[in-house]
Amino acid sequence: MENKKIGNQIYKVKSVDSTNNYAAKLLKQTKIPFGAVIMSYNQTDGKGQRDTNWESNAGENLLISVVLDIKNIPVSNIFYLSKSMALAVRSCVSQITTAECMVKWPNDIMVRNQKVAGILIENQWRRQEISSSVVGIGLNVNQTSFSSDINATSLCNITLDKYDLEEVLEVLCEKMELYYAEFKNGGYSIIDKEYHGFLFNYNVWSLYSIDGEVFEAKNRGVVETGQLQLELKSGQLQLFELKEIKQLL
């Protein structure tokens, strides 16, 4: 498949189970170009981190997946894609709202301690290498009310303005292209420095839980393979995977 600028080709659909699923099917069935965006106005089974569902009112939010070329990227460096896409979404939200935006590990975007966007990256493998990645992004735009258990906000709630979804997508694609180029060019140290500059509760004592047990620890950053490094009260440094620990707000 050929590479094109992110957003050069946009597939718009009224409703899908998941834009990531739809993109994965297109990858198998057609010669969809890298950089293509799938945009849906509704998801019936949107996916979030930790096998959760992504809640979104039809027609009110930006629900997209982007197909990216990851050939020749060492598996050990693949989490930099997650960091770069988180920075792209953060930059988009910051530009549109002028609000302070942070990245909550691994790649949720937070404004005023509430989640405004989330990212789910699913990789396609060929033999022992990653051949492509589908980057799913849910950005809350015009929805104003959410279930009480998800602590979410939207661009509209932040600024009290309504937005054209396609105009928001245009800004987001520009940001993704910028950070994706940095990733492809091996700018890992630049990405890492900026990611930690916007990392939620970085170097701050915060509450975490494992299997319901709450404890206090200091966020010491995210290592290149994606684990969260915490300093425990004992002074010990320990790495945690996404599915084994939850950061409490």
Side-chain angles (χ1 to χ4, degrees):
M1 294 185 294
E2 61 179 324
N3 280 288
K4 289 187 176 182
K5 187 176 181 180
I6 292 177
N8 188 303
Q9 190 163 336
I10 300 175
Y11 298 76
K12 298 178 183 177
V13 292
K14 289 184 178 180
S15 182
V16 293
D17 58 346
S18 155
T19 57
N20 270 23
N21 287 349
Y22 190 88
K25 290 177 183 177
L26 285 180
L27 274 170
K28 292 180 179 179
Q29 298 171 358
T30 67
K31 292 185 177 180
I32 179 175
F34 290 122
V37 174
I38 289 82
M39 176 183 180
S40 179
Y41 293 96
N42 184 46
Q43 284 188 136
T44 58
D45 191 21
K47 295 185 286 187
Q49 297 283 1
R50 305 175 190 266
D51 299 321
T52 59
N53 290 328
W54 182 264
E55 176 187 314
S56 179
N57 290 349
E60 294 188 349
N61 302 315
L62 197 59
L63 306 169
I64 69 167
S65 290
V66 187
V67 179
L68 296 178
D69 178 13
I70 308 298
K71 292 190 302 292
N72 303 320
I73 300 295
V75 174
S76 60
N77 292 333
I78 195 62
F79 193 76
Y80 287 105
L81 175 63
S82 179
K83 289 182 176 180
S84 64
M85 291 297 100
L87 289 171
V89 180
R90 192 217 69 84
S91 181
C92 171
V93 173
S94 178
Q95 177 174 312
I96 291 173
T97 66
T98 70
E100 182 180 26
C101 307
M102 306 300 287
V103 179
K104 181 173 173 282
W105 175 76
N107 47 28
D108 287 341
I109 309 305
M110 309 291 290
V111 176
R112 301 168 189 162
N113 284 2
Q114 292 180 298
K115 183 175 178 177
V116 69
I119 302 168
L120 179 65
I121 299 177
E122 297 180 304
N123 299 315
Q124 284 68 48
W125 292 78
R126 183 170 297 170
R127 299 183 181 90
Q128 301 299 317
E129 297 182 347
I130 298 175
S131 59
S132 60
S133 288
V134 174
V135 180
I137 299 172
L139 173 57
N140 297 330
V141 179
N142 292 319
Q143 186 170 335
T144 56
S145 61
F146 299 87
S147 299
S148 59
D149 59 340
I150 63 172
N151 190 39
T153 189
S154 66
L155 303 186
C156 181
N157 280 346
I158 296 167
T159 66
L160 303 182
D161 291 326
K162 290 285 186 179
Y163 296 90
D164 182 287
L165 295 181
E166 295 191 17
E167 290 179 0
V168 175
L169 177 59
E170 184 176 352
V171 176
L172 180 56
C173 287
E174 291 174 357
K175 299 298 185 181
M176 285 192 290
E177 179 69 24
L178 177 67
Y179 283 95
Y180 177 63
E182 190 72 68
F183 166 73
K184 289 286 283 186
N185 291 331
Y188 303 139
S189 61
I190 296 173
I191 292 171
D192 193 64
K193 182 177 180 180
E194 185 172 350
Y195 180 88
H196 282 92
F198 291 110
L199 184 60
F200 184 72
N201 281 349
Y202 183 45
N203 282 329
V204 173
W205 290 100
S206 308
L207 295 179
Y208 299 83
S209 71
I210 298 178
D211 296 329
E213 181 179 346
V214 178
F215 64 98
E216 191 174 17
K218 183 179 289 189
N219 180 341
R220 286 301 193 184
V222 180
V223 300
E224 63 179 13
T225 49
Q227 296 107 320
L228 178 66
Q229 185 176 60
L230 295 181
E231 178 184 344
L232 307 181
K233 283 293 188 178
S234 64
Q236 176 188 1
L237 293 176
Q238 189 169 340
L239 296 177
F240 294 91
E241 300 284 352
L242 173 63
K243 291 190 176 183
E244 68 177 319
I245 191 169
K246 183 177 182 180
Q247 182 172 351
L248 305 179
L249 297 178

